[in-house]
Every structure is written in C-alpha cells, then in structure tokens.
C-alpha cells in the first residue's frame, strides 16, 4: 500500500464526479467521451473508476460465489439518522458523518449497531443489489477462510509454505512459513506502489487480469506464474510489509488444503451459511484463478453481514459460521512492533494479523481495508459494524483515514451513549 | 446457422468427453493440457467447449440479470422416469429418451408436463445453480421483449428501423423495417457459417467479445460498430435468412424504445416477475453492450420457467408476465413459404416468427434454438415444455434434430396418453 497520496487531492468532489449525473456508460452506445473500457485502461482513471468499481464484471471475467438457494438472512432495521454526528478530522477540521461520506467518495455505507441496520445509504453507481469491488478487503476474507482451515487442522501455520505449494521452492516463499504469509512478514523484493507503473504490483495486475497486457509483453499472464518468480529480500518474520502476493500465496494454500476453488470455498463456508442476499464474485486470471488478494465484489449488505459475523465471534444467522477462536485470534491482533516500521502514520500503535488491520485502540476496533476506501470497521466495545464501499480518487487509505477514522470513533461513542 | 454439419460426427461420445472426468480446468493450477483460455481460442474447441458453455463468465466479461430480492417461484415436482420412452430417429434408428440425451451431448434437461417438473437431469459441467450459455436461445428472449414493447406501442413493427436507430441509415438496415429484423427476412451480404473463419459471423464474434482480437485487427470491436457496416444484398421481406445481426439490431431497437439496457429490461420484465431462481447474465462487448443475439446464460430451471410462461400464454408465478397476444403471435408462426427456401431439411413446413422457430406440426410445437443443441421446446397440445442445455460438437441443429425432435414428439404422445 502506498502511504503517500499519489497526487494532491483532486478538486472534483464526489457529487461533481457522480457517474450517473456525468453520464458515464449511459446511452446506446455511450458517448465516446463517456465510454470506459478495460482495454484502454480508462477504468482505472478518475473519475471513471467511480463507475468501474461498481461494474467490474462488465470489464473482466469473473467467477460466481453462490449465495445458495435459501432466503437471505434478516437484517433487522432501525433507522437512525446519524448524518449529523460530529467529529474532528486528524488535521483538525470539524466534520459530520454525512459530510465525511461525501468527502471520501463513498459509494455505499451500512452501519449496524447491536445487529440492527441503523443507517444505509447509496451514492454514485452503487445500488443495494449490485456488487462493488472490495479490492484488498478481499484479503480479510481469504484470511478468515485460511483461519477456518487452520482450526480444522488442514493448514499448519508453522509449516513451510512449500508443504502446500512445493512449486514455490525456488521463489521467495521457498523458506517462508504459512504464518508469515498470513501476517505479511515475508521479506520480498516485490513492491506495491499503485501509482508507479514500474512497481511490481502492476505485474501482478497483468497476471491476475486487472490490467491490459501490452503488445510484446513477456511477463507472467497468470497469478501462479507470477508467484513462482517472486524473489526474496531481507528476512522473513521480522517486519510487516503490505504485499498482496502474500495473500495470493495464502489463497493457494487454501485451495491445496481444501481441494476447492476459493469461490466454492467462500460460498460453502461463508456465503451460504451467512444467508447472503446476493451472489458475490471474484475476478479471475485467464486460467480461472480467483484474485484472493483483491478480486472479490459483493453487495454492501453482504459485506455488512460478514462484519456482523465477525463482531459476533463468528456466529450469525443462527449458526456458528466461523469458529470463535479464528475471530478472536484476529481481534487480538499481531505484533505492533513489527507493524511500526511500515510507517502508517494514520494507524499509530496498530498491528496486522491474518489479513486484518487491528487498531489496538480503546475500543479494540479492527478493520478490513481496500485501497479506494472500501472497508469493514468492527468496533467490539460499541457493538458497531460499518461496511463501506467507496471510489476515492487517491489509491491509499492515508487519504481516507484522517476523515473516516475519527468519524467512526465519534459515531461509536454516540451510539454507546445511546445517542 | 450452418445447415450442413461442420465435420463428421466425432467418435468421442458425451460420456467420453465429460469435462469433469477428463479433468478440464481442475486443480490449482490446472494441468497445461487441461487448461482452457479465451485468449488461445481453446474454449471453442471440442471437447473444451463442454466445459466452457457452463463457465463462460470465467472467460469473458458479463453483465448481471438480477432475479430480484424475492423467493424463487415454485416449480412443483412429480418425478416420472421417462428415460425409457422410445422413438425412432429421422434416419430410422431406434432410440430412447435417455439415449438421446447422451447422443446429443446434453448438459442438462428439464421436462415440464402440465406445469410440473417431471424429469430433470444434469450431466457434464452443468449444475442446477450454474448458468449455461444459451447462445441463439437468447434471440427468443430478445424477440419476446421486443414483442412486449410492440404491445405497449413503444415499437411499431411497420416502422423503419432508422426510426429507432438513425445511425443505421447508411447500412443494410437503412431501408429495412422492424418486422423484417424480427422475422429475419432482411437481405444482407453477411454470412453465418460458424465453421468458416472467414464468415462474417466471426467478425460479429470479435465485435461482441466472443472471439479474441488478432494482432493488427482493424475491424469492428463493438457490436454497434459492426452493425453500422452491414451491407445489403437482395431485397428485404422476401425470404427468411438466419443472420444474428438482425437480432442485435432488434436488441438495439429495444434499448432505444425502452431507454434501458437489455439486461435491466430482461430483469424487470421477465426475470423478476417470473421468480427466477438464479441471476442470469449476458456477455458484453468492450463497451458493455449485451449480445442480444447469443450472449445470455441462465440456469436450466429458469429456462424451463420461461418456457412454461410461454406455454401458459405469458402467465406464470401468479401474474401475466408477457401479454398473451405476444405469445400467440409467436405460436401462430410466420410464413412457411418464406422459410422454405432456407433449406432446413429437418424442419419441413416450419416458419420463423419474431425470433422463434415454429414447427407447424400436429401439436403446434415451437422452439427457441441454440447452435450446440440448447433449446426450449414448447408443445401446446401435449402441455409439455422441454428446456435443454447441451454442448454438441457440431455447431448446427441439423446434428441434433434427427434425434431430438422425434424423441420430443414421442414423449409428448406418451404424456398425452397418460404414460
């Protein structure tokens, strides 16, 4: 994750870049200057991405995550207009919850308090039944699935990665352990700077199908081929370094340990028992491999259901979906000392544990985070879950955190006070 | 549609080419010689297509056809093993219903009698909840949607096509009327021979996203750009000629007349009121246009629900979904004289009306037909609907009809006799 915002905050606001009012991809055919394609790369530009993150399956191949045949689980509603809840941004500006949503290019937000949906809003191109690209929030699903397989004894976190994926022997992962990819403490040459086209993350995107392949390209065109070429730098286990390839390796370990595709695993283990309202989907590389590090798209309410499942120690829809030990291990967090060196100034004292960001704040909040502001924020003390989809122009949560995190904490306090 | 089978019947049977047992796309990653990609074109080869038609969204971009939030409509069941029902093929061979399924590479079949699901079987890579590519069965959905817009006065079948799509002025469709594209009686240079890579249908496939774009290709890369370049040959209105571009033009007329995408139109007008069990999807070109001529994928049961809706004069799930006049106009058929010259030897005396094939046989059966054996067969007299997905190696119904049509008629008679 890029810590420094890629460019200065664009002057165009969320309202000014609403794809519906701008007419992106409207009409038959859309106007030439309102057309977004995968091939020309425009889907990653701003404001085009505001349409694209809610319509990614129209641009790239995907695989379904089936919700099952039963009814959706009930999300009890108790509307509560929290738009006026006041907070102060990290740089000292007065803020309201509603204003925060606009300033951080929110596409949809759902707030649960004590299991009730108290606030739900959609903006931009998102609709309740549509799937929004979760990007790195995907990682937290992969982590939970891996944790479930650990709890069943199918994955040993202390084992070498090569016990599950021997083909990684000659790669950076050849002497890494499962827990090191879970916690992203491997030492890798690989760089993840979204705004630098020479950064390795662009190689991963070409491999996983989320960037066009230029003519004459001779790099990897599948996730697996990309993983086996990764080189080591430094030592494993010493420090947190956010690098998506770890999650793709973890996803591979899950496939080998379960004998299932990631999409079938997510459907069987979480989407069906959770009573998801809509199917979800992963984008896939050209040989059908799901991007376990960033490819999931879900409806907003289903993202909220998953957050509530975590807050309830894995229990939801009348059943234990995720073992409580898996959730509690995540909520407890990792080693803040290993996290500190990574320099996330908006997350002082935090840690990273099994693909989740753990704040270690006074409420014990922990998060799933995507780079355009997508997220699940779980505040156990306030019994609050926030699911959010967004299409922030800046690829980096440093652009969201100063506004969103204080707003979330202010809301938590308000709810705890019965406000 | 190619009338002559592309090649002699391959010796490999359906059982021998089952993608599950052959291991196509199994494993993480799949074996190199069991890998299917869009880019290398292998998804169109046999037996690879047996996997691909049940997994098309993993290969190409798609758009969702939402089923809505409600429960699926009930399909009452009354199992009846009809596998032994005997028939004689057009070339005089004794056949059973079950053997017919195997010989015609059936992926799934659902038979409804008097509204009850009496027989349902899945083979190959298809599962009840999975979507199978319907190919030209898609056209019959487009025809019904167009018919609904006609019945509302939003489309005038006697009007020039250019009343809705003026951009087609300089094309073959510049002096065509809506009813001529509905009934495929336009005169076009365009050829549709699936087995000839120089046939124009391959240009349509490159344009609609169902064939890779070769390096240096300078043809159309969107459906719209392909349609506006079509040239006229002969006269409009004189003879039936099966050419998919007509349906793509009809789909464009539907979009302009309704102001909706084809996917939203299908969702709102049919998928939601019908109580579909699963979302469907269309594959789309690079600017998001659905292939209205061949891009729909649905679950088998939802295909059967649609067939039952037609058999019931548009009524299903407790409501009138399609106006009865639209269904009756289709069932009545078109002009057999205009059909005759096209030379479909397996369909003597038949006609084509608004994107449906009408047999004019003793039972008044009519059909939606896809080129690898996908189909809906509606027999009003026997109160029978057959929905079938298949992945026949030969791209042409001349390879299916001699076996399937007598089997369907034999079953109809058996059911009428109370067997």
């Amino acid at each position: 994750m890029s810590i420094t915002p890629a460019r200065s905050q664009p002057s165009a606001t969320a309202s000014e870049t609403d794809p519906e009012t701008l007419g992106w991809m409207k009409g038959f055919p859309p106007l030439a200057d309102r057309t977004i394609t995968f091939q020309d790369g425009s889907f990653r530009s701003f404001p085009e991405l505001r349409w694209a993150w809610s319509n990614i399956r129209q641009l790239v191949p995907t695989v379904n995550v089936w919700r099952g045949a039963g009814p959706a689980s009930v999300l009890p509603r108790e509307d509560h207009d929290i738009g006026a809840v006041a907070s102060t941004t990290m740089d000292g500006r007065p803020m309201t919850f509603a204003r925060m949503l606009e300033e951080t290019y929110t596409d949809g937000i759902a707030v649960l308090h004590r299991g009730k949906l108290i606030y739900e809003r959609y903006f931009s191109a998102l609709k309740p039944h549509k799937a929004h690209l979760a990007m790195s929030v995907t990682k937290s699903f992969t982590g939970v699935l891996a944790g479930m397989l650990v709890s069943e004894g199918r994955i040993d976190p202390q084992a070498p990665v090569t016990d599950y994926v021997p083909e990684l022997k000659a790669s950076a992962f050849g002497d890494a352990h499962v827990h090191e990819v879970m916690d992203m403490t491997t030492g890798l040459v690989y760089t993840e700077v979204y705004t630098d086209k020479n950064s390795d993350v662009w190689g991963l995107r070409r491999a996983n199908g989320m960037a066009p392949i230029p003519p004459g390209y001779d790099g990897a065109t599948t996730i697996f081929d990309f993983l086996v070429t990764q080189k080591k730098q430094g030592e494993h286990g010493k420090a947190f370094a956010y690098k998506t390839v770890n999650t793709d390796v973890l996803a591979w370990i899950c496939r080998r340990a379960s004998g299932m595709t990631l999409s079938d695993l997510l459907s069987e283990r979480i989407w069906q028992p959770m009573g998801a309202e809509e199917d979800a989907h992963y984008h896939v590389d050209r040989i059908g491999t799901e991007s376990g590090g960033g490819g999931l798209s879900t409806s907003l309410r289903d993202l909220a259901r998953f957050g509530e499942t975590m807050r309830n120690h894995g229990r939801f829809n009348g059943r234990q979906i995720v073992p409580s030990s898996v959730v509690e291990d995540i909520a407890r967090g990792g080693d803040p000392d290993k996290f500190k060196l990574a320099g996330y100034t908006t997350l002082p004292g935090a840690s990273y544990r099994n693909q989740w960001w753990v704040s270690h704040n006074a409420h014990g909040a922990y998060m799933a985070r995507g780079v355009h502001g997508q997220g699940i924020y779980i505040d156990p003390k306030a019994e609050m879950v926030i699911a959010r989809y967004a299409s922030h122009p800046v690829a980096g949560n440093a652009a969201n955190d100063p506004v969103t995190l204080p707003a979330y904490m202010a809301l938590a306090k308000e709810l705890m006070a019965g406000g």
Side-chain angles (χ1 to χ4, degrees), chain A:
Chain A
M1 177 177 299
S2 153
I3 303 168
T4 314
R7 36 178 171 160
S8 57
Q9 187 83 7
S11 56
T13 66
S15 302
E16 288 163 1
T17 57
D18 186 310
E20 299 289 310
T21 49
L22 287 181
W24 285 104
M25 295 297 271
K26 296 282 175 195
F28 318 108
L31 295 173
D33 69 351
R34 288 293 182 272
T35 297
I36 298 165
T37 76
F38 173 77
Q39 287 77 14
D40 69 6
S42 57
F43 73 112
R44 287 196 177 276
S45 302
F46 186 84
E48 289 92 324
L49 62 82
R50 303 213 69 206
W51 178 87
W53 298 165
S54 290
N55 292 283
I56 199 68
R57 71 177 283 183
Q58 295 190 40
L59 299 169
V60 294
T62 53
V63 63
N64 201 45
V65 176
W66 189 44
R67 58 173 293 281
S73 57
V74 175
L75 273 185
R77 280 175 178 277
E78 192 173 285
D79 278 355
H80 185 159
D81 191 352
I82 56 174
V85 171
S87 57
T88 304
T89 67
M90 288 183 191
D91 56 354
R93 291 183 296 126
M95 185 57 55
T96 64
F97 201 83
R99 173 90 197 119
M100 174 275 288
L101 298 178
E102 161 81 10
E103 241 189 53
T104 56
Y105 300 83
T106 303
D107 296 329
I109 189 143
V111 180
L112 292 166
H113 182 227
R114 295 181 182 148
K116 288 183 179 157
L117 186 60
I118 62 165
Y119 190 77
E120 183 186 17
R121 296 288 186 278
Y122 295 88
F123 310 93
S124 187
L126 192 59
K127 301 274 178 290
H129 68 277
K130 286 190 76 171
H132 191 291
L133 187 59
M135 291 194 166
S136 292
V137 171
T138 307
K139 294 179 172 69
S140 303
F141 285 90
T142 304
V144 168
L145 291 170
M148 292 169 80
L149 294 169
V150 167
S151 79
E152 295 164 18
R154 299 216 230 176
I155 294 176
D156 175 3
Q158 302 307 321
V161 166
T162 52
D163 276 10
Y164 304 91
V165 195
E167 297 94 324
L168 291 171
K169 188 71 208 169
S171 80
F173 302 100
D175 62 347
H177 298 89
V178 174
H179 69 91
E180 290 155 349
V181 299
M182 290 176 98
D183 293 343
M184 293 218 197
T185 60
T186 51
L188 304 172
V189 171
Y190 171 98
T191 59
E192 184 137 347
V193 184
Y194 302 125
T195 50
D196 176 2
K197 289 263 182 172
N198 295 315
S199 175
D200 298 306
V201 70
W202 285 91
L204 177 58
R205 286 173 173 175
R206 288 182 198 105
N208 73 24
M210 274 292 280
I213 302 286
Y217 181 73
D218 65 353
T221 56
T222 69
I223 296 172
F224 195 71
D225 287 349
F226 188 79
L227 296 179
V228 297
T229 63
Q230 294 309 301
K231 300 288 172 221
K232 188 175 178 181
Q233 184 176 74
E235 280 184 76
H236 298 321
K238 295 296 177 199
F240 169 68
Y242 186 86
K243 299 185 175 190
T244 296
V245 283
N246 286 295
T247 322
D248 283 309
V249 168
L250 186 60
W252 225 284
I253 292 169
C254 290
R255 293 180 186 105
R256 291 278 173 93
S258 68
M260 293 174 74
T261 62
L262 201 60
S263 39
D264 283 345
L265 195 60
L266 181 59
S267 169
E268 184 178 301
R269 297 306 188 92
I270 297 177
W271 233 244
Q272 294 187 52
M274 191 173 80
E277 197 164 316
E278 299 293 337
D279 291 348
H281 56 77
Y282 286 98
H283 71 75
V284 292
D285 70 9
R286 56 178 62 190
I287 62 168
T289 318
E290 307 92 343
S291 165
L296 187 65
S297 290
T298 79
S299 80
L300 179 67
R301 285 187 203 137
D302 289 330
L303 193 71
R305 281 181 174 90
F306 181 63
E308 182 66 8
T309 302
M310 294 296 287
R311 189 188 72 80
N312 284 316
H313 301 258
R315 199 172 169 79
F316 187 75
N317 195 25
R319 68 202 77 176
Q320 191 73 33
I321 297 170
V322 181
S324 59
S325 60
V326 174
V327 179
E328 284 148 17
D329 171 76
I330 288 166
R332 216 164 23 238
D335 183 347
D337 285 339
K338 289 184 181 170
F339 185 87
K340 197 171 6 184
L341 295 170
Y344 290 85
T345 54
T346 60
L347 298 173
S351 73
Y352 191 83
R353 174 64 188 142
N354 191 16
Q355 313 290 317
W356 290 76
W357 304 80
V358 184
S359 74
H360 299 279
N361 69 8
H363 290 191
Y366 58 102
M367 298 168 268
R369 290 155 64 90
V371 79
H372 286 276
Q374 305 98 320
I376 307 173
Y377 183 93
I378 299 165
D379 184 324
K381 192 164 177 195
E383 300 166 276
M384 177 185 82
V385 170
I386 299 176
R388 184 169 95 104
Y389 277 130
S391 48
H392 198 291
V394 178
N397 271 302
N400 287 282
D401 289 345
V403 185
T404 54
L405 294 183
Y408 294 173
M409 181 53 90
L411 176 60
K413 288 179 176 165
E414 183 100 352
L415 294 173
M416 286 168 73

